[in-house]
């Protein structure tokens, strides 16, 4: 008998780290409600992903491993997740707040006739909190349905650490209906760098970067910290960097230990995605730029001079 | 093709949002409203498809009476007619999806285009809920749409890059920021829009129970950051970062 189900997010056969943040929510919720925590792994050839989850203190890992689930679609995965949730009598079904969770979980909620809260920040055993209006407001929400579905904003839950005992794995076989959505291909963005949501250091560039090539200035600093590069909508719209680097209200929410904002003004929409970072540095030539107002340390300077200087200084400092 | 699009009335995203002192809601007086930016993108895409393939574009808005303004904005862009579902402003995303599902059962469009996210509640749910309620395919977060015979090919903006999918039609697509750049209506089109048909109905007419599945109990302001210290140069910055143990 289970109460909380966490759906694992994985990519190219590996567990996504954001699942560990969702797991922390799951553990906390299970404790608050005095119920079990279960994990759900859906896909094809996912035994390695299930193995990666074995030592996180869950009561059970349910695996639906089916060639028909090789390529994610909300319809097929949604069916598998909803059926599994029913089988384990889930009260709360949760997933990380990546594009898969955002696409999938409402579909799961509709299948389970559940109310859903997107991107939750906390749970007190009764209500959830979540951001609205680009993070200008935090709402306390109550989901009135018996089964509840949420996506978990990773910035507010630390990644879970492994614990002692091993969780048993149970394979379920569920017949998967033919969907009306057909996978064609993935056009992968270059990805030799961590995802901004997973990195402890993020350096983001905005319109001030001027062109795609100038992002190498930021990459040089990201390399020092093995960190991630992010961007504003303006930089993504210009085609300078991949869409999945957009930080903000309608992109990714990040909260690294150190966030350096370069050549970006600090729109409400951008700040919604990074204002929970531990330390924020802004580099912008305009003293009036709103980003300086929320930065711990603001440097009013031309980025093309300041960023290479900073890169040198950091290398010297950290070697 | 017959295309149904949605238009939500939201507070202008450039306005500063304030919570009422008692936490019961948002200060609405002195706020200006506009159509949800993602919905403008969805409408633009619908118009482009109609311009290529012919057909009709219907704009649906759910909300208070004033939502007529946002429906007219869609009509001014070039949509053909509108439907205003006069519902309490706080119908939650699932109620909106169930209302849309009933309208779609009547109108039988070939394609439904929505925004990916309403920038007030920031739910990012309605398109997906609707697809499930109708048992249709979904392609959310679209950055490119090509309509073919009985199918649409969609580029989706996902973590890791772009995912290309095809959905059977009728189907559901939600628009992301880079799908297109919405047009500005000409004055003459704004005038013309006033004469286009907008039908008003209620959720009761559709037999939809709008009692919410998700209830907002309280609004609070987020903690404010204490920022704003300026440093003179890179040396001072590095020293400050060391003191703050950030490096
Ligand atoms: C529906 C909607 C959703 C959105 N979602 C997001 C989102 O998720 N994320 C997001 O980021 N945006 C989002 N936006 C866009 C947002 O409103 C802003 O337009 C965007 O964030 C601005 O990007 P920017 O700061 O790079 O550009 P600008 O505002 O143009 O700022 C550029 C800054 O660079 C500085 N600069 C220029 N040259 C130099 C130089 N040589 N040295 C130093 N500084 C320099 C300038 O002083 C300026 O402050 C959204 C908008 C809408 C309508
Ligand atoms: N009240 C509404 N009226 C019309 N469309 C809506 C309404 N609420 C949501 N939508 C549509 O659903 C999309 C996603 O909204 P949401 O899931 O609430 O973030 C929006 O971009 C709109 O296209």
């Amino acid at each position: 008998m289970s109460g909380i189900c966490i759906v694992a997010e994985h990519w190219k056969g590996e567990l996504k780290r954001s699942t560990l943040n969702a797991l922390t929510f799951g553990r906390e919720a299970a404790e608050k409600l005095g119920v079990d925590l279960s994990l759900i792994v859906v896909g094809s050839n996912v035994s390695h992903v299930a193995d990666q989850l074995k030592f996180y203190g869950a009561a059970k890992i349910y695996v639906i491993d089916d060639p028909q689930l090789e390529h994610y679609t909300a319809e097929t995965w949604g069916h598998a997740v909803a059926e599994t949730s029913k089988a384990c009598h889930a009260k709360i079904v949760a997933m990380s707040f990546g594009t898969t969770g955002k696409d999938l979980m409402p579909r799961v909620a509709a299948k389970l006739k559940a109310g859903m809260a997107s991107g939750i920040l906390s749970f007190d055993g009764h209500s959830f909190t979540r951001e609205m209006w680009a993070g200008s407001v935090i709402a306390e929400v109550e989901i009135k349905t018996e089964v509840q579905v949420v996506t978990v904003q990773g910035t507010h839950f630390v990644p879970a650490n492994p614990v002692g005992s091993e969780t048993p794995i149970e394979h379920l076989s569920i017949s998967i209906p033919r969907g009306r959505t057909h996978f064609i291909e993935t056009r992968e963005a270059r990805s030799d760098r961590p995802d901004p949501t997973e990195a402890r250091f993020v350096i983001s560039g905005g319109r001030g970067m001027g062109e795609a090539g100038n992002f190498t200035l930021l990459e040089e600093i990201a390399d020092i910290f093995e960190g991630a590069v992010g961007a504003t909508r303006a930089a993504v719209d210009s085609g300078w960097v991949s869409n999945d680097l957009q930080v903000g209200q309608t992109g990714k929410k990040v909260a690294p230990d150190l966030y350096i904002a370069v050549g970006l003004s600090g729109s409400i929409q951008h700040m919604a995605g990074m204002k929970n970072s531990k330390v924020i540095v802004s580099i912008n030539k305009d003293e009036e730029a709103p980003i300086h107002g929320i930065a711990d340390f603001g440097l009013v300077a031309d980025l093309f001079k300041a960023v290479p200087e900073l890169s040198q200084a950091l290398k010297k400092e950290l070697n | 093709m017959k295309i149904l699009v949605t238009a939500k009335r939201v507070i202008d995203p450039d306005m500063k949002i304030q919570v009422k002192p008692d936490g019961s809601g948002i200060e609405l007086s002195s706020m200006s409203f506009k159509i949800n930016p993602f919905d403008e993108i969805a409408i633009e895409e619908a118009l482009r498809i109609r311009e290529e393939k012919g057909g009709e574009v219907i704009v649906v808005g759910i909300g208070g009476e004033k939502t007529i303004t946002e429906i007219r904005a869609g009509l001014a862009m070039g949509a053909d007619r509108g439907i205003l579902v006069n519902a309490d402003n706080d119908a939650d995303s699932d109620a909106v999806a169930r209302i849309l599902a009933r309208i779609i059962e009547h109108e039988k469009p070939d394609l439904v285009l929505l925004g990916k996210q309403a920038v007030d509640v920031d739910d990012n749910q309605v398109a997906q809920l609707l697809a499930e309620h109708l048992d249709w395919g979904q392609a959310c977060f679209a950055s490119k749409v090509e309509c073919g015979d009985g199918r649409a090919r969609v580029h989706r903006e996902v973590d890791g890059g772009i995912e290309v999918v095809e959905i059977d039609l009728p189907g559901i697509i939600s628009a992301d920021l880079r799908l297109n750049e919405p047009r500005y209506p000409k004055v003459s089109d704004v005038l013309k829009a006033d004469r286009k048909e907008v039908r008003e109905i209620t959720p009761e007419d559709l037999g939809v129970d709008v009692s919410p599945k998700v209830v907002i109990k309280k609004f609070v302001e987020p903690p404010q950051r204490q920022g704003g210290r300026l440093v003179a140069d890179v040396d001072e910055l590095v020293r400050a970062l060391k003191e703050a143990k950030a490096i």
Side-chain angles (χ1 to χ4, degrees), chain B residues 6-8 36 38-39 60-63 93 96 114-118 121-127:
Chain B
T6 46
K8 185 176 189 186
N36 182 39
F38 285 101
D39 299 355
V60 182
I62 300 157
S93 287
V96 168
L114 304 90
K116 89 160 173 183
Q117 178 172 336
V121 294
D122 282 336
D123 267 2
N124 192 340
Q125 295 180 13
V126 172

Side-chain angles (χ1 to χ4, degrees), chain A residues 94-160:
Chain A
M95 192 175 187
S96 47
F97 197 40
T99 50
T100 305
K102 291 175 184 176
D103 189 57
L104 173 67
M105 295 311 273
R107 192 119 197 176
V108 170
K111 284 178 188 288
L112 297 173
K113 302 205 170 3
M116 173 169 173
S118 305
I120 58 141
L121 312 178
S122 71
F123 176 56
D124 65 5
H126 190 68
S127 318
F128 300 90
T129 58
R130 58 176 303 266
E131 293 175 326
M132 290 183 166
W133 280 279
S136 305
V137 173
I138 294 177
E140 189 182 317
V141 303
E142 195 182 319
I143 305 179
K144 292 287 189 186
T145 49
E146 200 173 318
V147 181
Q148 311 181 347
V149 172
V150 300
T151 44
V152 179
Q153 194 166 302
T155 51
H156 283 63
F157 297 90
V158 295

Side-chain angles (χ1 to χ4, degrees), chain A residues 9 11 16 72-75 97-100 102-104 106-107 109-111 113-118 126-127 130-145 178-190 195 225 232-233 236-237 242-244 246 249-253 257-258 260 268-269 274-283 287 292-300 305-307 309-310 313-314 317-318, chain B residues 10-19 26 28 37-38 41 92 94 116-141 143-144 151 153 155-170 172 174 176-178 180-181 212-247:
Chain A
E9 182 180 358
W11 169 247
K16 289 243 336 197
Y72 162 82
T73 71
E75 290 170 85
F97 197 40
T99 50
T100 305
K102 291 175 184 176
D103 189 57
L104 173 67
R107 192 119 197 176
K111 284 178 188 288
K113 302 205 170 3
M116 173 169 173
S118 305
H126 190 68
S127 318
R130 58 176 303 266
E131 293 175 326
M132 290 183 166
W133 280 279
S136 305
V137 173
I138 294 177
E140 189 182 317
V141 303
E142 195 182 319
I143 305 179
K144 292 287 189 186
T145 49
R178 242 192 112 268
R180 295 156 182 273
T181 311
H182 316 279
F183 173 84
I184 306 293
E185 61 172 328
T186 304
R187 299 189 186 166
E188 254 174 68
R190 217 191 90 232
D195 182 305
F225 296 97
T232 63
R233 175 191 178 182
V236 178
D237 282 5
S242 161
N243 58 268
D244 63 339
Q246 180 181 310
Q249 177 191 17
T250 63
K252 290 192 156 129
K253 311 250 183 179
D257 294 340
L258 177 56
I260 305 187
I268 297 174
Q269 290 84 7
M274 46 66 77
K275 66 177 181 181
N276 289 315
S277 304
K278 228 179 248 155
V279 174
I280 297 175
V281 170
S282 54
I283 301 177
E287 192 176 343
H292 288 315
I294 67 151
D296 299 278
F297 311 114
L299 179 59
V300 180
K305 181 167 172 291
V307 174
E309 264 179 45
L310 179 62
L314 287 170
E317 197 59 51
L318 299 170
Chain B
V10 298
I11 297 175
D12 184 330
D14 291 331
M15 304 215 73
K16 178 149 176 44
I17 302 294
Q18 270 182 320
V19 175
I26 303 301
L28 293 178
F38 285 101
I41 299 173
D92 67 3
D94 190 65
K116 89 160 173 183
Q117 178 172 336
V119 298
D120 51 3
V121 294
D122 282 336
D123 267 2
N124 192 340
Q125 295 180 13
V126 172
Q128 300 89 316
L129 293 167
L130 177 60
E132 176 59 26
H133 290 317
L134 295 165
D135 197 17
W136 287 5
Q138 77 186 47
C140 294
F141 327 144
S143 63
K144 187 175 176 189
R151 275 198 177 188
R153 181 176 278 234
H155 289 207
R156 303 182 54 227
E157 287 197 359
V158 296
D159 296 340
I162 296 287
E163 186 189 75
V164 184
V165 298
E166 284 187 359
I167 51 167
D168 296 345
L169 296 179
I172 304 284
S174 82
D176 214 319
L177 292 171
R178 281 160 283 278
N180 59 47
E181 267 198 51
K213 288 193 163 89
V214 181
V215 177
I216 300 173
K217 291 165 60 184
K218 201 167 93 195
F219 293 94
V220 294
E221 307 253 358
Q224 294 302 316
R225 267 194 97 90
Q226 297 301 322
R229 171 178 160 194
L230 292 180
V231 292
D233 52 25
V234 167
D235 283 346
E236 190 188 339
L237 174 59
V238 173
R239 254 180 287 129
L241 286 173
K242 267 170 63 185
E243 275 161 31
K245 296 194 168 45
I247 56 172

